[in-house]
Amino acid sequence: MSLEPFLAVFVITQYRRHLKMDGLLTKWNKYLNIGYYIAIAIFIFGVSFDHGEKLTTVISHLFFLGVVVCPYYIEDLRSGKQLAFALIPYAIAGLIQDVLEKWFPTFYDNHDNMIQSLVVFSLIWAFSLWLISRKQTKALENERKQRFAEQEQNRMMAAMKVNLESEVRERTAELTKQTEELQLALSELKSTQAQLIQSEKMASLGELTAGIAHEIQNPLNFVNNFSEVSIELLEELKDEVLDKLPDDVKEDAGDIINDITQNLSKINQHGKRADAIVKGMLQHSRATTGKKEPTDINALADEYLRLSYHGLRAKDKSFNAGMKTNFAPDLGKVEAIPQDLGRVLLNLFNNSFYSVSEKKRTLGEGYEPTVTVNTQKVRSPSGVNMVQITVEDNGTGIPQKVLDKIYQPFFTTKPTGQGTGLGLSMSYDIITKGHGGELKVETAEGEFARFVICIPVGNVTQS
């Protein structure tokens, strides 16, 4: 019995392994099983029937040869071509040997050595190619494993790269956030420092103002009191003594008494005005409590407008300016810090009067310096009701190149010694932080400057 059925089973098993690696086993599994059955049937037939040995031998060789050459005709079995190339010479040599031995014994006996050599050579050929194939297969397997290891390493490196990039982005975002927080803290620290400086200056100024006001208050009280007493005495003189005088001097004495009475009335009138100014100075110098209270915005604006004007008049007798007011009668009272809001208004009024006085000094006659103050209720673009205070002057205006700097601490457009650069900075903080409002500016250089204060109306109470 020849070995071809067993070799056929071996070759079919190798095909099965290649098809499984290529993912094609399901498609060809039925045909591979049929090949197994045929090989087993040939083996059983050859063992069971001795008289059919010749036919069994030929069928066995032909079946084995057919199995071996399949990779050359079936595309899915192309990975088994190397195995077929190794076994085809042996299949042909074995077929020739058995055919000559069974049907041409004389020829076989005469050429026995040559035929045996051919068979042996085919076996050596098959074994050599099998060794080479095995070595190549191992090399390919090692290369595949190495390539897989490299791919895995590259995948791990890519994953590590993604993780590192993510960590770098997170760290960068964290550092950026910390930088912004530090910058914000530094800005708030600078603002606080400026406010402390301004508070110290205002405290010192308040103490000085309070001292001066108290000193003025005493003689001013004497002036007001004695002017009132003098008017009363003149009235008594006019009622009791004037009628007793001779007729030739009675008229002249009456005229003199009337003139003195009018003069004393003027003294008393302006004395009371001075008294109101002194009281305003005392109120302005009083330390702020930081607590909001119902405040009459119209009265506050009018009081500080006149306080600013007379303060500048006291410094410069030649100074003069027109004042226009347009106060909303239904404004009511607003919950505000009156001392702080008064300081804001005083700063704005002082700046406006300074601006118009500078323009007056430049233009001279023909120019009428005017400061206008308006109050009204408005609605912001976001729908919030606001109380709006507008301070406008027709002075020199603010240059556009410095417009963005006017709220910065220690920035001033006034000559050295005439401004600290803290007024608008303090005013901006009082309105925005202390009252939750807005302080905006509109200006045209050489024409006008308009400051607009807006305070939320949520705390407004009707008068």
Side-chain angles (χ1 to χ4, degrees):
M1 182 60 192
S2 63
L3 298 175
E4 275 68 14
F6 300 101
L7 293 175
V9 170
F10 169 75
V11 173
I12 292 172
T13 302
Q14 296 301 312
Y15 290 164
R16 176 183 290 275
R17 184 172 64 85
H18 291 306
L19 288 170
K20 185 176 181 180
M21 293 176 62
D22 295 337
L24 300 172
L25 181 59
T26 303
K27 177 181 177 181
W28 291 96
N29 188 52
K30 179 177 67 174
Y31 301 102
L32 295 176
N33 291 334
I34 292 173
Y36 285 135
Y37 297 150
I38 293 174
I40 294 171
I42 293 174
F43 172 74
I44 295 174
F45 185 80
V47 173
S48 302
F49 303 97
D50 293 337
H51 59 277
E53 182 181 358
K54 291 182 179 181
L55 179 59
T56 303
T57 300
V58 173
I59 293 174
S60 176
H61 281 289
L62 291 176
F63 175 70
F64 176 64
L65 182 61
V67 170
V68 170
V69 299
C70 280
Y72 290 94
Y73 298 96
I74 300 175
E75 183 66 22
D76 292 343
L77 296 176
R78 61 186 180 277
S79 57
K81 282 185 178 182
Q82 191 170 9
L83 177 63
F85 184 70
L87 292 176
I88 285 175
Y90 172 76
I92 296 173
L95 177 62
I96 294 173
Q97 180 186 16
D98 285 345
V99 169
L100 292 177
E101 183 179 2
K102 297 294 189 290
W103 277 279
F104 305 97
T106 302
F107 182 82
Y108 179 79
D109 291 338
N110 292 333
H111 300 86
D112 179 52
N113 291 333
M114 184 182 68
I115 295 173
Q116 291 292 337
S117 298
L118 180 62
V119 174
V120 171
F121 177 76
S122 64
L123 286 174
I124 295 173
W125 168 265
F127 184 72
S128 299
L129 289 182
W130 177 76
L131 289 177
I132 294 172
S133 175
R134 183 178 179 184
K135 185 176 180 180
Q136 290 178 346
T137 301
K138 288 184 177 180
L140 289 174
E141 183 66 19
N142 291 334
E143 183 180 354
R144 186 184 68 82
K145 290 181 178 179
Q146 183 178 2
R147 186 166 61 251
F148 178 78
E150 291 177 353
Q151 292 176 352
E152 185 68 16
Q153 185 178 5
N154 291 336
R155 186 189 66 80
M156 292 177 63
M157 291 180 64
M160 290 177 62
K161 181 180 179 182
V162 172
N163 291 334
L164 287 174
E165 290 178 349
S166 178
E167 291 179 359
V168 168
R169 285 195 298 269
E170 292 177 358
R171 185 59 178 167
T172 301
E174 183 180 354
L175 290 175
T176 302
K177 182 179 179 181
Q178 291 178 355
T179 301
E180 292 176 352
E181 291 176 351
L182 289 174
Q183 290 177 346
L184 179 60
L186 180 60
S187 177
E188 292 179 350
L189 182 61
K190 289 181 177 179
S191 177
T192 304
Q193 182 184 17
Q195 290 184 40
L196 288 174
I197 294 173
Q198 178 64 17
S199 297
E200 290 295 328
K201 290 186 176 182
M202 293 302 295
S204 299
L205 179 60
E207 293 177 0
L208 178 62
T209 303
I212 295 173
H214 279 295
E215 292 299 323
I216 295 175
Q217 188 74 43
N218 291 328
L220 191 58
N221 289 335
F222 280 102
V223 171
N224 291 332
N225 293 335
F226 279 101
S227 62
E228 291 177 357
V229 171
S230 298
I231 292 174
E232 293 176 359
L233 291 175
L234 287 173
E235 291 296 331
E236 292 179 1
L237 178 64
K238 186 176 180 181
D239 293 337
E240 298 179 3
V241 179
L242 186 62
D243 293 336
K244 299 178 180 180
L245 294 176
D247 293 336
D248 56 344
V249 297
K250 183 178 181 179
E251 185 177 356
D252 293 335
D255 292 338
I256 294 172
I257 291 173
N258 289 334
D259 291 341
I260 295 174
T261 302
Q262 290 179 1
N263 291 340
L264 288 173
S265 297
K266 292 292 184 180
I267 291 173
N268 185 259
Q269 178 185 350
H270 289 285
K272 289 181 178 180
R273 179 59 192 159
D275 182 66
I277 294 173
V278 169
K279 288 181 179 178
M281 292 173 63
L282 287 172
Q283 184 178 6
H284 179 68
S285 64
R286 188 173 58 207
T288 177
T289 61
K291 294 182 180 179
K292 293 181 179 180
E293 57 185 68
T295 303
D296 188 337
I297 299 297
N298 292 339
L300 190 72
D302 183 67
E303 177 185 352
Y304 278 95
L305 176 64
R306 300 186 183 281
L307 181 62
S308 174
Y309 177 77
H310 289 292
L312 293 175
R313 284 275 297 171
K315 295 178 182 179
D316 182 7
K317 297 297 183 181
S318 64
F319 171 75
N320 195 11
M323 295 180 290
K324 294 181 179 180
T325 58
N326 183 17
F327 297 141
D330 60 340
L331 197 62
K333 292 187 177 182
V334 178
E335 290 290 328
I337 307 173
Q339 293 83 7
D340 288 350
L341 190 56
R343 289 172 182 174
V344 172
L345 292 173
L346 188 61
N347 281 322
L348 297 182
F349 294 149
N350 287 341
N351 289 341
S352 293
F353 284 127
Y354 175 82
S355 177
V356 296
S357 65
E358 289 297 310
K359 189 171 183 179
K360 177 68 174 180
R361 187 176 291 108
T362 302
L363 298 180
E365 298 298 329
Y367 166 69
E368 296 182 1
T370 307
V371 175
T372 305
V373 184
N374 298 325
T375 62
Q376 60 179 328
K377 291 181 180 180
V378 297
R379 185 182 295 271
S380 70
S382 59
V384 179
N385 291 326
M386 312 283 281
V387 170
Q388 178 177 289
I389 308 170
T390 304
V391 180
E392 182 177 357
D393 64 74
N394 60 346
T396 57
I398 303 173
Q400 289 293 328
K401 62 181 179 180
V402 301
L403 196 59
D404 295 335
K405 303 178 182 180
I406 60 174
Y407 296 132
Q408 294 180 5
F410 304 108
F411 178 81
T412 180
T413 57
K414 296 178 181 178
T416 304
Q418 296 191 28
T420 62
L422 292 172
L424 287 178
S425 174
M426 180 197 68
S427 300
Y428 184 82
D429 288 342
I430 289 174
I431 296 300
T432 58
K433 297 180 180 179
H435 292 80
E438 297 178 344
L439 177 59
K440 299 178 289 186
V441 59
E442 302 169 3
T443 183
E445 187 174 0
E447 297 181 14
F448 73 93
R450 182 186 302 118
F451 283 88
V452 181
I453 300 172
C454 290
I455 301 175
V457 121
N459 294 324
V460 172
T461 57
Q462 294 298 327
S463 55

